Amino acid sequence: MARVYNFSAGPAVLPEEVLREAADEMLDYRGTGMSVMEMSHRSKAYDTIIKEAEADLRDLMKIPDNYKVLFLQGGASQQFAMIPMNLMKNGVADYIVTGQWAKKAYQEASIYGKANKIASSEDETFSYIPDCSDLPISEDADYVYICENNTIYGTKFKTLPNTKGKTLVADVSSCFLSEPVDVTRYGVIYGGVQKNIGPAGVVIVIIREDLITEEVLPGTPTMLRYKTHSDNASLYNTPPAYGIYICGKVFKWLKEKGGLEAMKEYNEKKAQILYDYLDESKLFRGTVRREDRSLMNVPFVTGNEELDAKFVKEAKEAGFENLKGHRSVGGMRASIYNAMPVEGVEKLVEFMRKFEAENI
């Protein structure tokens, strides 16, 4: 069976070259006589895999030496608790709520201290990014938190908030490695890998060393302390070994493609094809304010629920998978991550034109 065009928001499309290489190594990884799935995480072969993965990620993102890279489990959602547990020294944090995941992170932080919602776009169904140039940052805030790209709603921070000197923490799950990033502007950058980097089960945390201390909230479990994982180079317990191995292959694939500058250019090209069509279409329309549009997640609607459902059904029959919008917003959403080829987007637009001609 031919591969479909997979527009899933996550777990999402992976580079075909990476999948083929992993398939070739499935039964025998480089002469070890076993799969990486069966390998001890303490073995010499695996040590090379995880160290190379970290080195390649550092190279791609130009991560400074005073930041640690941690390969963890529990997904981005576990970080909603881990961040306040480790960083809320004063018991106060400021949250900018621009979507469901930022809202969940804010609610979770409220369990551990005083979480202040200092800006929100909930008044217009999270269809825009609020102005964050002069926010009421709390004097005693331990950090300011954002979800940089909103998977469900298709918005993206094009300018980082002015945190007035406070540490910025960002969930970048759905824009991870899609464009260059200045790591020094953040205290913590983290994301689940299942959208742009690898299979579900790994979360990568990039954290400035001064934020990793023994001083955590009382009752914080050993496994939820950044210091535990930092001191043990992500090997305190058995890590999601196979997932990290695939992430490592994706890092090498990205480097071969020309790195993050090249990916940004490629992603802008793909997004423009789809947005240009949505802007001229008489049937479909995008749901996000133009200046806040994501390059990764593109939500759109016809304005008629029955027609939306018909489109999703016929698109699936034509080989375009996972175009149904998130259950909380309906409509459609095309997630066009790094590994989505440009022809996938071109073919989708071609199909949308045909559907429009038949249904208008």
Side-chain angles (χ1 to χ4, degrees):
M1 183 185 171
R3 276 175 66 77
V4 297
Y5 288 113
N6 179 10
F7 291 93
S8 172
V13 60
L14 284 167
E16 205 167 310
E17 300 96 309
V18 166
L19 296 175
R20 289 187 189 284
E21 203 176 292
D24 289 344
E25 293 174 345
M26 179 55 83
L27 294 176
D28 177 12
Y29 177 74
R30 300 187 183 176
T32 59
M34 66 179 108
S35 171
V36 175
M37 280 191 190
E38 308 167 289
M39 197 177 277
S40 165
H41 61 295
R42 308 282 178 202
S43 67
K44 195 174 174 187
Y46 192 75
D47 192 55
T48 303
I49 288 170
I50 194 167
K51 281 187 174 147
E52 262 187 36
E54 180 179 334
D56 285 336
L57 180 61
R58 284 185 174 277
D59 191 24
L60 277 166
M61 292 181 74
K62 300 180 173 54
I63 299 172
D65 291 344
N66 66 324
Y67 283 74
K68 291 282 190 185
V69 173
L70 309 176
F71 295 99
L72 307 179
Q73 295 173 79
S77 296
Q78 186 161 287
Q79 293 305 308
F80 298 168
M82 207 163 164
I83 285 157
M85 283 176 164
N86 285 267
L87 303 188
M88 260 193 180
K89 315 292 188 199
N90 298 323
V92 180
D94 288 350
Y95 279 70
I96 298 167
V97 178
T98 52
Q100 192 161 308
W101 303 113
K103 188 176 180 179
K104 286 188 174 181
Y106 160 73
Q107 288 166 338
E108 191 75 10
S110 302
I111 297 169
Y112 301 101
K114 187 172 183 243
N116 302 308
K117 191 193 292 187
I118 56 168
S120 172
S121 53
E122 198 163 5
D123 61 331
E124 291 182 31
T125 327
F126 301 122
S127 60
Y128 70 100
I129 298 291
D131 178 3
C132 297
S133 58
D134 186 19
L135 295 165
I137 306 285
S138 312
E139 268 183 47
D140 52 353
D142 292 299
Y143 59 88
V144 176
Y145 182 102
I146 62 169
C147 179
E148 197 161 319
N149 187 89
N150 295 287
T151 323
I152 294 172
Y153 301 95
T155 58
K156 165 82 163 67
F157 279 83
K158 302 293 170 70
T159 306
L160 292 176
N162 173 7
T163 65
K164 300 180 181 175
K166 300 294 183 187
T167 297
L168 179 63
V169 175
D171 173 355
V172 297
S173 295
S174 54
C175 60
F176 223 157
L177 302 183
S178 62
E179 60 185 353
V181 58
D182 179 0
V183 175
T184 63
R185 297 194 63 193
Y186 307 79
V188 181
I189 305 178
Y190 78 90
V193 304
Q194 71 276 11
K195 298 169 186 294
N196 230 1
I197 304 172
V202 184
V203 61
I204 297 171
V205 176
I206 300 158
I207 178 168
R208 210 172 59 226
E209 280 180 345
D210 62 286
L211 297 171
I212 304 169
T213 66
E214 294 279 10
E215 193 193 330
V216 295
L217 294 187
T220 299
T222 303
M223 277 295 288
L224 296 186
R225 296 168 187 239
Y226 289 128
K227 195 165 185 351
T228 301
H229 301 287
S230 174
D231 289 351
N232 293 279
S234 302
L235 293 166
Y236 174 75
N237 68 323
T238 309
Y242 194 81
I244 295 166
Y245 153 78
I246 298 289
C247 291
K249 288 200 177 298
V250 172
F251 300 153
K252 289 195 186 304
W253 176 81
L254 283 166
K255 288 174 84 171
E256 281 163 22
K257 292 284 177 193
L260 302 190
E261 289 284 356
M263 280 324 296
K264 183 182 186 200
E265 211 174 292
Y266 190 56
N267 288 327
E268 284 174 341
K269 181 183 175 184
K270 287 185 290 185
Q272 188 170 357
I273 293 166
L274 187 44
Y275 284 126
D276 281 355
Y277 168 66
L278 288 172
D279 288 342
E280 67 165 60
S281 173
K282 302 251 186 320
L283 179 64
F284 299 101
R285 64 172 181 85
T287 57
V288 172
R289 193 163 73 182
R290 190 181 289 253
E291 59 268 32
D292 299 324
R293 287 169 165 176
S294 165
L295 292 180
M296 299 283 97
N297 311 100
V298 184
F300 56 97
V301 294
T302 64
N304 178 311
E305 282 185 25
E306 283 175 22
L307 208 50
D308 287 353
K310 184 184 182 195
F311 173 79
V312 170
K313 180 176 177 286
E314 290 184 11
K316 183 180 172 70
E317 286 162 5
F320 303 100
E321 285 283 347
N322 296 306
L323 281 166
K324 190 176 180 185
H326 190 271
R327 62 187 179 277
S328 65
V329 291
M332 284 74 68
R333 171 183 51 180
S335 293
I336 50 177
Y337 298 123
N338 288 346
M340 171 56 66
V342 72
E343 68 264 19
V345 181
E346 287 168 344
K347 285 197 159 51
L348 173 63
V349 167
E350 198 180 297
F351 176 77
M352 289 168 77
R353 282 188 195 282
K354 178 174 171 285
F355 185 87
E356 178 170 350
E358 290 167 0
N359 290 276
I360 204 157

